[in-house]
Amino acid sequence: MPARRRVPLAQGQEALAACARAGDLARLGRQVRATAVRYSLEELAARAPGRTVEVRVPPFGAVQCLEGPRHTRGTPPNVVETDAQTWLMLATGRQRWEQAAQAGAIRASGQRADLSAFLPLTSAE
């Protein structure tokens, strides 16, 4: 069952496109960044449905994705957590997963916590 969309598609796509074009994400404003993060998390869940990995981008949102064994209680065995700027850089293709992981900008635990095959969600053009 795909994740339920909360961000209207047009609004989310517009916010994510603004992030892809922006030179400095911090200058976009909190509302645009929040919308882009929430939309991109929903998009990830739609493209990789499941409940094996929990992706957290505090304070804006979290989503479960990827098929496989699912957890039902407590902390899931596969968790990815990062800040909004790093997540948006990954989602727009402005940074690669490996670069962010080596820089310590991603906290990932579990065997299935590598999302590099699913990112970027859009490209920075």
Side-chain angles (χ1 to χ4, degrees), residues 25-40:
L25 293 173
R27 299 184 93 178
L28 284 177
R30 180 178 167 85
Q31 187 61 44
V32 173
R33 290 192 319 270
T35 300
V37 168
R38 290 179 183 126
Y39 168 77
S40 59

Side-chain angles (χ1 to χ4, degrees), residues 39-125:
Y39 168 77
S40 59
L41 287 172
E42 290 173 0
E43 187 65 19
L44 174 66
R47 292 183 188 190
R51 296 188 169 268
T52 299
V53 179
E54 185 166 294
V55 182
R56 302 172 181 166
V57 184
F60 299 120
V63 69
Q64 292 181 354
C65 60
L66 295 178
E67 290 184 13
R70 64 180 270 198
H71 71 283
T72 55
R73 300 170 133 200
T75 302
N78 301 286
V79 176
V80 173
E81 186 168 335
T82 190
D83 60 274
Q85 178 154 331
T86 300
W87 176 252
L88 291 171
M89 297 283 283
L90 292 166
T92 59
R94 294 171 61 180
Q95 187 172 29
R96 293 184 54 216
W97 179 268
E98 297 79 17
Q99 294 169 321
Q102 287 176 350
I106 300 172
R107 289 163 301 289
S109 63
Q111 293 178 332
R112 307 210 48 201
D114 181 346
L115 300 178
S116 59
F118 302 98
L119 298 169
L121 299 170
T122 189
S123 61
E125 297 175 343

Side-chain angles (χ1 to χ4, degrees), residues 16-29:
L16 193 58
C19 290
R21 291 187 307 266
D24 180 6
L25 293 173
R27 299 184 93 178
L28 284 177

